[in-house]
Amino acid sequence: MQNLDEHTITQEVLSRMTGTEDKRLHHVFSSLIQHLHDFAREVHLTEQEWEKGIEFLTSVGQTCSPVRQEFILLSDILGFSTLVTAQNHRKPQGCTEATVFGPFHVADAPAIEPWGNISPNMPGKPWFVSGTVRGLDGEVVPNAMLEVWQADEEGFYDVQKSDLEAAQGRGIIRADAQGYFNFQTIVPVAYPIPDDGPVGRVLRALDRHPWRPAHLHFMVHADGYQRLVTHIFKQGDEYLDSDAVFGVRSSLIEEWVMHDAGIAPDGSYSAQPFCTLNFDIVLNPSSAEVN
Ligand code: BEZ
Ligand code: FE
């Protein structure tokens, strides 16, 4: 078709894809084109704005590296990651809720023994984390594997530091046959998401802050149960209601309890005040439907 205009172009693009064999691809692309065209018509996108958009996306791509995923960050600050997470992880009441994955997970973290330390030799308040993994009916989930990762006392993940040789603030924990797990670390703090790139510029232009409330990341795997990717947040954190990436769920907020110096949960003597966190993780059976 020729002489396409702002009203006829959408239908013509859609009609060029009628032969697409992959039905899902056809569905996703048709909807994307329809919404993208509707968006341009609705805001009456100018050519300068179109150019700025192209420059922005180019810069997002150029900021990506093996240790920096600016596109995920963009998805996160637009609430898109939370939307996709929420609609793919609807769970029965009582299950631990999922939240955003974030860009700082690394595969092959070190294996940690019971009460082992995922942040050895790092400055910070000692933190003793423990809990149990259960199923929806209260049944013990034996031998779950928990990948945990967190920021340090200054709000940085190890992958953000160029001079580190070993993993810090991450580890793989095995729950025991009764579902019990524990480890030691330092208390993480609230931190700004990386805002020295194009995503940070957008946040500032929109008068938004880049902060995330303090949290600990978990990814839990257990045979017969759906994988769970989530965080535990700290009760009272000032950013709980304005998380830059919209990841907070009230069911994931726990009390991180401070204690004076004394006997710590692992039986050792802590000469400095320490913090404890105890919580249960409730997994959804694999057989449960995601709808
Ligand atoms: C994180 O919690 O690690 C994170 C999540 C989204 C964007 C940036 C960081
Ligand atoms: Fe994080």
Side-chain angles (χ1 to χ4, degrees):
M1 192 194 256
Q2 299 180 358
N3 304 325
L4 294 161
D5 64 20
E6 65 201 87
H7 304 292
T8 54
I9 178 68
T10 307
Q11 202 42 52
E12 175 62 12
V13 178
L14 294 176
S15 70
R16 298 270 176 105
M17 305 190 309
T18 47
T20 309
E21 271 180 27
D22 183 330
K23 294 292 166 238
R24 178 67 184 166
L25 182 70
H26 182 264
H27 181 57
V28 170
F29 252 84
S30 302
S31 180
L32 178 66
I33 287 160
Q34 187 73 55
H35 285 280
L36 197 61
H37 287 207
D38 284 347
F39 155 73
R41 279 186 284 261
E42 185 184 317
V43 302
H44 198 291
L45 200 69
T46 66
E47 286 173 302
Q48 287 89 339
E49 288 163 344
W50 176 86
E51 247 172 59
K52 275 209 151 197
I54 297 288
E55 273 167 28
F56 172 71
L57 290 176
T58 304
S59 158
V60 169
Q62 287 168 340
T63 306
C64 291
S65 76
V67 294
R68 172 98 177 229
Q69 230 308 350
E70 197 77 357
F71 275 112
I72 294 185
L73 217 50
L74 178 59
S75 162
D76 293 339
I77 65 127
L78 296 179
F80 200 59
S81 308
T82 286
L83 188 162
V84 173
T85 300
Q87 71 180 1
N88 284 284
H89 296 276
R90 295 180 194 129
K91 295 174 196 286
Q93 184 99 27
C95 281
T96 301
E97 292 188 87
T99 188
V100 291
F101 192 52
F104 297 128
H105 172 265
V106 174
D108 302 325
I112 304 293
E113 295 299 311
W115 283 126
N117 196 338
I118 66 165
S119 306
N121 308 316
M122 284 171 73
K125 283 193 201 87
W127 197 24
F128 295 86
V129 179
S130 59
T132 51
V133 185
R134 297 187 182 284
L136 195 51
D137 295 327
E139 74 276 17
V140 162
V141 174
N143 310 119
M145 184 175 97
L146 290 83
E147 295 186 61
V148 299
W149 65 105
Q150 65 165 93
D152 66 13
E153 229 201 353
E154 292 176 334
F156 292 107
Y157 287 79
D158 58 357
V159 289
Q160 295 177 282
K161 303 175 196 171
S162 52
D163 53 344
L164 276 188
E165 278 168 16
Q168 276 189 346
R170 64 181 73 245
I172 298 181
I173 321 290
R174 271 269 168 210
D176 68 14
Q178 279 70 50
Y180 186 65
F181 66 88
N182 55 46
F183 60 96
Q184 215 188 120
T185 179
I186 54 163
V187 177
V189 296
Y191 63 83
I193 61 169
D195 66 344
D196 56 346
V199 167
R201 289 200 290 280
V202 161
L203 284 177
R204 283 185 287 282
L206 296 174
D207 198 19
R208 282 178 51 187
H209 73 69
W211 287 84
R212 296 216 66 204
H215 57 273
L216 176 68
H217 292 261
F218 279 82
M219 175 149 66
V220 186
H221 315 253
D223 289 344
Y225 294 87
Q226 291 173 5
R227 187 186 80 167
L228 170 69
V229 175
T230 194
H231 313 346
I232 297 294
F233 296 94
K234 181 185 178 188
Q235 198 167 78
D237 191 290
E238 69 173 294
Y239 297 111
L240 288 172
D241 286 324
S242 65
D243 180 7
V245 304
F246 309 97
V248 178
R249 313 203 64 80
S250 56
S251 70
L252 301 175
I253 302 171
E254 296 282 346
E255 200 176 345
W256 300 10
V257 185
M258 274 311 295
H259 305 263
D260 292 334
I263 303 295
D266 66 342
S268 68
Y269 179 78
S270 176
Q272 48 175 321
F274 59 90
C275 186
T276 57
L277 167 66
N278 183 266
F279 65 98
D280 288 340
I281 294 170
V282 180
L283 299 180
N284 201 18
S286 314
S287 53
E289 280 187 16
V290 177
N291 49 24

